[in-house]
Amino acid sequence: GAAWYPAKAQIDLGGGDWAMNPAHIVYETLTNTEWGMGYPPASLDLASFAAAADTFHAEGMGLCFQWVRSDSIEGFVQDVMNHAGGVLAQDPRTSLFRIIPIRGGYNVATLPEFRRGLNVIEVESFQRAAVTEAVNEITVTYTDVSTGKDGTVTVQQLANIQAQGGVVSQGINYVGIPTSGLASRVALRDLAVKSQPLCKVKLKVDRSAYGILPGQVVRWSDARLGIVDMPMRVLQINYGTLTAGTITMDLAEDVFGLPATGYVGQQPSGWVEP
């Protein structure tokens, strides 16, 4: 709550409205002893939480929603992370919870390297999605903080619509998003991922991958497939057992990075209260 890192806890939406930083929502959910999970703050990697809070605050990523008891707390935390574009993971080396915002801004040359002959034992599967499998229109439903009513924004990837010869639409509910401006930026973020024919791979690797977490970015090279230093986002990782000695990683080509500006014009309704 406000006791931890109060400087970045709230995000000003303008017009006297405020929203909560997603990192602070997750902090409170994990540590609250009355309605939360009751973990001691010492079980959180607070440096990663503060760094995530800085990122979300700088983006104006303020959310407005509460946990309702009909949902599981784990489901609520996942929902918060889906809104913010991040992953909450427990580091196996320290057992501490970490928040990993899914963003760009990394230097590919410094990412952990995975390639055949170095630490990749086997490429279990490799696929590149076709353009025709991509979503090219996304409609986000959000909760307008000024009216309390649902609003929607729709964004399109015109090049993909032309390539497919039609619109392939997907609707996403982000009830915690309080403004059309943020809703449009999140819609653009999701569209950037869903409209691209991304490559996905499942790698069997050695124990050097121990401690890599979902949400992190690694670089992958494979001479047989003609791939050099491709940034890959970790979707899932299975550490296996010490006796088996191999780790399995599911990776997807990385295109994330929250657009700094939403270029989606919201048409005023034209309705005037009599």
Side-chain angles (χ1 to χ4, degrees), residues 251-272:
L251 309 172
E253 191 177 353
D254 187 59
V255 295
F256 253 114
L258 187 72
T261 312
Y263 297 102
V264 184
Q266 278 299 94
Q267 289 292 88
S269 68
W271 184 79
V272 179

Side-chain angles (χ1 to χ4, degrees), residues 233-253:
R233 188 75 62 170
V234 180
L235 303 178
Q236 287 182 305
I237 184 160
N238 181 345
Y239 294 116
T241 60
L242 283 171
T243 51
T246 57
I247 290 172
T248 307
M249 294 198 296
D250 289 292
L251 309 172
E253 191 177 353

Side-chain angles (χ1 to χ4, degrees), residues 114 119-122 124 203-210 237-249:
F114 289 90
N119 47 12
V120 173
I121 298 163
E122 183 187 345
E124 288 196 352
L203 300 179
K204 192 178 278 186
V205 300
D206 66 19
R207 301 299 296 177
S208 65
Y210 188 73
I237 184 160
N238 181 345
Y239 294 116
T241 60
L242 283 171
T243 51
T246 57
I247 290 172
T248 307
M249 294 198 296

Side-chain angles (χ1 to χ4, degrees), residues 134-243:
V135 170
N136 54 32
E137 178 183 271
I138 283 184
T139 297
V140 163
T141 302
Y142 66 98
T143 310
D144 192 310
V145 69
S146 58
T147 64
K149 294 188 170 72
D150 285 352
T152 60
V153 295
T154 298
V155 295
Q156 293 182 324
Q157 225 288 1
L158 298 177
N160 187 285
I161 290 172
Q162 281 188 321
Q164 293 204 55
V167 172
V168 180
S169 190
Q170 181 178 349
I172 305 176
N173 286 328
Y174 283 132
V175 295
I177 289 179
T179 64
S180 64
L182 183 57
S184 68
R185 287 198 285 137
V186 169
L188 288 168
R189 175 195 76 191
D190 287 8
L191 185 65
V193 173
K194 294 176 185 291
S195 65
Q196 304 285 345
L198 299 178
C199 98
K200 293 185 177 179
V201 66
K202 184 189 279 279
L203 300 179
K204 192 178 278 186
V205 300
D206 66 19
R207 301 299 296 177
S208 65
Y210 188 73
I212 288 188
L213 300 177
Q216 288 186 321
V217 187
V218 300
R219 57 185 164 130
W220 174 50
S221 297
D222 194 299
R224 291 185 209 171
L225 296 169
I227 289 167
V228 180
D229 283 352
M230 181 183 282
M232 305 291 285
R233 188 75 62 170
V234 180
L235 303 178
Q236 287 182 305
I237 184 160
N238 181 345
Y239 294 116
T241 60
L242 283 171
T243 51

Side-chain angles (χ1 to χ4, degrees), residues 24-65:
H24 290 71
I25 297 175
V26 174
Y27 176 95
E28 188 66 23
T29 306
L30 289 176
T31 60
N32 189 289
T33 52
E34 291 173 28
W35 58 266
M37 293 181 176
Y39 284 104
S43 63
L44 279 55
D45 180 342
L46 292 177
S48 91
F49 271 69
D54 290 343
T55 296
F56 299 145
H57 192 274
E59 291 173 347
M61 175 61 77
L63 304 179
C64 298
F65 60 127

